[in-house]
Amino acid sequence: MSGELTPGADNRPIRIAVDAMGGDHAPAAIVEGAAAAAAAFGIDVILTGPSGVLRPLLSAQLPAARDGSRPGQVRIVSSEDSLAMDEGALASLRRPRSSAAIACQLVRRGQAQAVVSAGSTGGTVATARLRLRSLPGVMRPGLAVVLPTRPTPTLLVDAGAIADPKPEMLVAFAQLGVAYAQVGHGITEPKVGLLTIGAEPGKGNRLARRAHELLAQAPPHGALPIQFIGNVEGGDLLTRKADVIVTDGFTGNVALKVLEGTAAFAAAQTRAALTDSAPARFGVLFQRRGLRELAGRMDAETYGGAALLGLEGTVVIAHGAATAKGVTSACRLATDLVRGQITEKIKERFGPGRGSHFLRRS
């Protein structure tokens, strides 16, 4: 746990700032998952939270940490405050020294490249927006979640960051999602669809109709083109009709929760059907591999969480009920996005010469 932070070094290893106090199972599961990520991926992890609480937990996870032979370092930056799981956006103002705020501040100072938190989504989004500047051309960041389609996942943007966006923001969400699909999933030319209530261009509310018009036009300010395929409906979320599906944060969050609830219901019904009789249980023996693969693909903790895109720094928000496995996956996602230079990819997509937004903080 020794070592000195060297902000701004070009050859520095990837450093992930982890909010150790965010999540239903914090801090024990967070520390366990972060320590596992440091060892598995060779990254440096900075835990933010009360040092008196975190140090014994970390010592239990890293009994051999003294010899310096492990591939990743794990350090603690003390913070005595934290965001409660039921706190929303205003918590970012009420708790300026929370563990989430300190993690974001480390990224802003160049002492880390990414933030991982399993805390309140609203509080984490607001905290990140307050402390990390938006990239040029990005009015508001978008929250991107992975939908478990095959052979490659589908990205849903926005899943809850901005409930009432302007139509221009949905165009920006499309650019953010395309960059994520290229960096995170190797999709060369992602197809973009707009989530609304009908496939025809005129379907939907005023926001959807205007967003459709903008997405169908050539991108402004020298931005890279988008392969827009038109409207998609709720039934298309898991059909791989589009690689990136854009919508407002209110609709996206409702759609995501419906999918999660449906998946949980289907899993429970399938489990009951496979175990309610001796012949069914016998048949399961021959399907174990396929069932394990399906369970892994449907497990939210496999994907790491949602990525908040469009800020000068990578932010990954893990599920609030994330276990150590989910935290490790979130750190892996953050590491992959940093290594793929997601921030630079987003800047390229929005075009050269984009100045700072007029509301951007100095």
Side-chain angles (χ1 to χ4, degrees), residues 307-355:
L308 185 64
L309 305 173
L311 299 174
E312 289 188 338
T314 300
V315 180
V316 173
I317 303 176
H319 199 285
T323 64
K325 174 187 173 183
V327 175
T328 301
S329 296
C331 291
R332 181 189 61 204
L333 173 58
T335 300
D336 290 344
L337 292 178
V338 171
R339 284 180 175 154
Q341 298 182 319
I342 183 67
T343 301
E344 295 304 317
K345 177 69 72 173
I346 290 172
K347 289 180 180 178
E348 291 174 5
R349 293 215 58 85
F350 278 89
R354 290 297 297 257

Side-chain angles (χ1 to χ4, degrees), residues 182-222:
Q182 292 175 333
V183 170
H185 302 290
I187 304 173
T188 306
E189 297 182 357
K191 296 179 294 183
V192 176
L194 174 67
L195 182 63
T196 185
I197 59 173
E200 298 80 9
K203 288 294 184 71
N205 56 14
R206 185 181 303 174
L207 170 66
R209 294 194 302 270
R210 178 56 179 159
H212 188 284
E213 294 176 1
L214 295 175
L215 286 165
Q217 299 172 4
H221 308 295

Side-chain angles (χ1 to χ4, degrees), residues 17-32 34 46-57 76-87 95 97-103 115-121 124 318-322 327:
V18 178
D19 170 18
M21 305 309 293
D24 296 337
H25 304 296
I30 310 300
V31 173
E32 180 183 350
I46 306 173
L47 297 169
T48 60
S51 57
V53 175
L54 300 183
R55 192 171 290 112
L57 295 172
I76 296 173
V77 171
S78 185
S79 170
E80 301 304 323
D81 201 1
S82 62
L83 301 179
M85 291 301 291
D86 58 351
E87 290 188 285
R95 304 187 184 280
R97 300 294 297 172
S98 67
S99 52
I102 297 301
V115 174
V116 169
S117 177
S120 160
T121 298
T124 303
H319 199 285
V327 175

Side-chain angles (χ1 to χ4, degrees), residues 212-270:
H212 188 284
E213 294 176 1
L214 295 175
L215 286 165
Q217 299 172 4
H221 308 295
L224 295 179
I226 296 170
Q227 189 177 348
F228 180 55
I229 64 169
N231 291 343
V232 297
E233 301 178 77
D236 299 320
L237 288 171
L238 300 177
T239 63
R240 288 283 301 132
K241 186 174 181 179
D243 300 296
V244 177
I245 298 177
V246 297
T247 185
D248 62 274
F250 180 87
T251 303
N253 192 265
V254 171
L256 179 63
K257 296 297 175 57
V258 169
L259 289 177
E260 290 177 344
T262 302
F265 174 79
Q269 294 298 309
T270 301

Side-chain angles (χ1 to χ4, degrees), residues 126-147:
T127 299
R129 285 183 56 196
L130 187 65
R131 284 160 178 79
L132 298 176
R133 294 174 293 187
S134 294
L135 293 173
V138 179
M139 298 176 65
R140 295 288 188 273
L143 198 62
V145 297
V146 172
L147 304 181

Side-chain angles (χ1 to χ4, degrees), residues 3-46:
E4 184 176 347
L5 296 176
T6 56
D10 293 336
N11 60 348
R12 68 192 188 278
I14 292 178
R15 290 197 179 102
I16 309 296
V18 178
D19 170 18
M21 305 309 293
D24 296 337
H25 304 296
I30 310 300
V31 173
E32 180 183 350
F41 312 133
I43 59 175
D44 287 354
V45 172
I46 306 173

